[in-house]
Amino acid sequence: MEHAVHPGHPDVLIVGAGPTGLTLACDLARRGVSALLVEKAAALFPGSRGKGLQPRTLEVLDDLGVLPAVRAAGGHYPRMMSWQDGERQGEWDLIERNAPDPTVPHPDIWMLPQWRTQEVLYDRLRELGGQVAFGTALTGLDQRPDRVEARLTGPDGIERTVAARYLVATDGGRSTVRRAAGIPMAGEQVDQRPALVADLRLTGLDRENWHIWPKAPGGALLLCPLPGTADFQLFAQFDADQEPDTSPEGVRRTVAARTHLPAEAVGEVRWASDFRPRAALAERFRVGRVFLAGDAAHIHSPAGGQGLNTSVQDAYNLGWKLGQVLRHGAAEELLDSYEAERLPIAADVLDISTRLYRAGGVRAGALNRGPRTEQLGLGYEGGPLTVEARSGLAEEALRAGERAPDAPLEEPREAGGPGRRLFDVFRGPQFTVLAVECGLPVLPTGVGALRVDAGTGGGIAARAYGRGLFVVRPDGYVGLATHDPADLPGYLARLGVC
């Protein structure tokens, strides 16, 4: 095989253009960090797979500038409709619908097929000047004291060496990078029974419901209309000794055998795959200059809609830290906090999704998912970048390490549009210092600043935060909470803000 040195050497090489890699590439691009995103496939992943975007993920997508496109392309979760013997058995909700809350702008999970989420992120990446090198596979890597040398084979069959300061594996559960870096992954089979998932065109069912045949012969079958498309997503479970037939004819036979629909009701089968639900966690999320993110670091069962969402949060956590080290002179030790913060979160979420699956998933009826499943209640309390310098706090008080809540800062405009909100201030790659009912000191450059007083339109924000000075990290978590302005310079300097 021919061998050549790649002409461009990025600061960060990202391997895998799924939701995780695309999120990270977008975040780095807006920070001015040079990154090369490679994908061994010839195009973006074509299937629906992870289709639920949790409220916290919607906040990330808002910050990245793609929420309008996500809202336009997706839809709310439909109510479930159970079937038996060709008869409707009644509707029920898979999710608990949340009441409006001024501190949570997106209270409910949003449905968008994974392939469309990826397209939205890819479009944003190109707007930011980035690209994806499709048809490019990593075939090996070597770590040096100051760089990673990766061997990449492109669509022309030529192997090239790319040297990057850091490499991030976002190449899925069978990660080539993880194996090359020698990072073990331990896990368990959540269910020995295989499952079939497919995107297909269908006649004979309404698109107002997510249809389920819980007592179908051979195993449960579900057909979910995918918003913004003409497709349904099929999910069917099989006995442990069966192998699902993923061919179009096999998909049609499964639908005909388990529902009242004939095989010919299934038109085009656009994508199909089989899998056995598994939960697994990498032993490390960082070795030297190599990081793992997304499915390369943790594999989830499909219950609870956690996999894609946890993966996006990985990228969002790592992106700003790489930016601070590469563009703002922060100490490289800052990157150690990625594993320290994200590995415990991944372990916790794995437990949530496994318990939901074993509780019966969608077959068990509505499940109380709550702030942790919505990822609003997951944070970094006790983490290496978290400093809570106040004392005597009430039990319900916001603390350092928790998600920074949203809140209105002014009344809605006369034209009917929303007034300015905290998330409008936080949006972007910067840190923000929020002074709630206290003095605001002179700040270093590179930090946004806002003073909030209860008597001048900021009552909800004042109640949500309590009195104090709060450093809101670029990923929307409270890093420092204090009453003393003297705590600010040292804390910010640790993060490369000076």
Side-chain angles (χ1 to χ4, degrees):
M1 180 179 291
E2 295 183 66
H3 184 274
V5 176
H6 195 280
H9 297 294
D11 284 330
V12 181
L13 173 63
I14 308 168
V15 181
T20 318
L22 288 164
T23 298
L24 180 59
C26 287
D27 200 21
L28 293 177
R30 68 177 182 161
R31 297 176 187 283
V33 175
S34 65
L36 173 63
L37 174 55
V38 300
E39 168 57 51
K40 68 178 180 180
L44 296 175
F45 172 74
S48 59
R49 196 176 287 166
K51 62 184 182 296
L53 299 175
Q54 297 289 352
R56 178 62 186 147
T57 301
L58 294 174
E59 295 176 359
V60 174
L61 298 175
D62 180 11
D63 184 47
L64 293 176
V66 299
L67 187 63
V70 165
R71 286 296 195 190
H76 293 285
Y77 266 52
R79 300 193 75 202
M80 309 297 293
M81 173 62 71
S82 294
W83 290 82
Q84 187 173 351
D85 300 326
E87 299 290 335
R88 295 174 183 262
Q89 302 299 302
E91 287 185 326
W92 46 278
D93 262 320
L94 172 65
I95 64 170
E96 291 187 344
R97 314 285 172 169
N98 293 315
D101 183 336
T103 69
V104 180
H106 317 293
D108 290 322
I109 190 170
W110 188 250
M111 185 178 287
L112 188 67
Q114 181 173 321
W115 64 264
R116 188 70 187 102
T117 299
Q118 292 179 173
E119 285 187 347
V120 169
L121 287 167
Y122 183 41
D123 289 345
R124 179 58 173 151
L125 178 60
R126 288 186 291 182
E127 287 177 0
L128 293 167
Q131 271 298 341
V132 178
F134 289 106
T136 302
L138 182 136
T139 54
L141 64 87
D142 297 296
Q143 293 212 52
R144 309 297 184 198
D146 61 344
R147 66 190 185 280
V148 178
E149 294 180 353
R151 295 182 292 282
L152 304 175
T153 301
D156 56 6
I158 297 176
E159 186 179 79
R160 296 173 171 86
T161 297
V162 170
R165 294 276 301 278
Y166 302 100
L167 186 152
V168 184
T170 59
D171 54 342
R174 298 184 176 89
S175 172
T176 299
V177 175
R178 187 183 66 237
R179 292 195 298 270
I183 303 175
M185 175 176 261
E188 60 175 324
Q189 206 75 48
V190 175
D191 195 332
Q192 295 298 324
R193 295 170 296 174
L196 169 68
V197 61
D199 295 346
L200 49 83
R201 299 288 170 87
L202 185 74
T203 59
L205 284 181
D206 67 79
R207 298 185 62 85
E208 303 304 313
N209 292 108
W210 185 343
H211 303 274
I212 176 171
W213 289 260
K215 299 179 180 179
L221 183 141
L222 300 90
L223 286 165
C224 179
L226 295 172
T229 77
D231 300 343
F232 283 78
Q233 184 198 63
L234 175 145
F235 176 88
Q237 202 164 45
F238 291 78
D239 292 335
D241 59 351
Q242 290 182 290
E243 288 295 330
D245 185 346
T246 60
S247 70
E249 295 76 16
V251 171
R252 293 186 180 97
R253 283 194 296 269
T254 297
V255 171
R258 301 192 186 189
T259 76
H260 60 277
L261 301 171
E264 55 267 26
V266 178
E268 181 184 2
V269 178
R270 300 169 63 82
W271 167 79
S273 180
D274 65 317
F275 69 99
R276 280 179 168 80
R278 183 173 176 240
L281 183 67
E283 185 177 284
R284 299 291 309 276
F285 283 13
R286 179 189 186 186
V287 171
R289 293 180 172 271
V290 174
F291 298 84
L292 305 184
D295 287 356
H298 41 79
I299 301 171
H300 303 253
S301 83
Q306 298 298 294
L308 182 152
N309 294 277
T310 306
S311 300
V312 166
Q313 302 296 334
D314 289 346
Y316 198 48
N317 181 287
L318 182 57
W320 73 265
K321 295 171 182 178
L322 286 168
Q324 290 303 112
V325 170
L326 290 167
R327 298 285 293 170
H328 299 287
E332 189 167 322
E333 287 73 22
L334 175 62
L335 300 176
D336 292 334
S337 69
Y338 169 69
E339 177 181 299
E341 291 185 337
R342 293 306 300 169
L343 196 153
I345 292 283
D348 188 28
V349 173
L350 277 173
D351 179 64
I352 291 171
S353 58
T354 299
R355 284 190 290 107
L356 282 172
Y357 188 90
R358 286 176 172 160
V362 295
R363 292 167 292 146
L367 297 168
N368 184 0
R369 293 165 185 249
R372 296 182 73 77
T373 306
E374 295 163 349
Q375 305 214 345
L376 296 169
L378 299 174
Y380 305 122
E381 302 92 323
L385 304 183
T386 299
V387 178
E388 176 55 74
R390 301 168 299 165
S391 60
L393 296 177
E395 183 178 348
E396 68 276 8
L398 177 73
R399 286 171 167 77
E402 296 180 351
R403 163 191 169 271
D406 193 14
L409 297 173
E410 57 189 37
E411 294 298 319
R413 300 184 181 95
E414 292 183 5
R420 195 167 70 124
R421 306 181 62 86
L422 280 180
F423 276 15
D424 296 326
V425 178
F426 298 160
R427 190 178 295 111
Q430 76 284 343
F431 291 82
T432 304
V433 174
L434 184 64
V436 181
E437 297 191 295
C438 63
L440 188 63
V442 176
L443 296 171
T445 58
V447 175
L450 179 70
R451 177 171 180 159
V452 173
D453 292 302
T456 56
I460 294 175
R463 289 192 296 274
Y465 283 79
R467 181 178 175 277
L469 290 167
F470 303 88
V471 174
V472 179
R473 302 171 7 166
D475 58 353
Y477 290 88
V478 177
L480 167 68
T482 183
H483 290 129
D484 187 353
D487 292 336
L488 289 173
Y491 180 79
L492 292 168
R494 285 178 55 197
L495 307 180
V497 182
C498 55

